[in-house]
Amino acid sequence: MFNSSDHITLQVNGEPQTCPPQTPLPELLEQLGLNPRLIAVEYNGEILHRQFWSETQVQDGDKLEIVTIVGGG
């Protein structure tokens, strides 16, 4: 039987992802193989400024939209 206390489920760019409860956002981004310097994060419908990433712990049912920042000219 799957124990819900072992993992939570959240949506990342519309896809279900699982991680341990209380995972800090930067750790989740690292698990997803993303470079934090090259992305922007929308957390439950709000742009989450980088200064708040380290204190944000993802919760069951959260919705994240992660956008890669592309330089150009």
Side-chain angles (χ1 to χ4, degrees):
M1 178 81 187
F2 181 77
N3 187 341
S4 62
S5 65
D6 290 351
H7 285 86
I8 60 171
T9 301
L10 56 148
Q11 296 283 321
V12 178
N13 292 348
E15 297 291 324
Q17 296 284 338
T18 58
C19 66
Q22 309 302 317
T23 298
L25 179 60
E27 190 176 310
L28 176 68
L29 297 174
E30 187 177 308
Q31 289 173 13
L32 295 172
L34 299 167
N35 183 338
R37 293 189 308 268
L38 301 176
I39 60 173
V41 176
E42 183 182 280
Y43 182 74
N44 293 328
E46 301 285 331
I47 295 294
L48 186 64
H49 293 282
R50 196 173 304 270
Q51 71 213 46
F52 300 118
W53 288 11
S54 61
E55 62 195 53
T56 300
Q57 295 180 335
V58 295
Q59 306 293 320
D60 192 47
D62 280 350
K63 290 182 169 44
L64 285 87
E65 292 293 327
I66 301 172
V67 179
T68 303
I69 300 168
V70 178

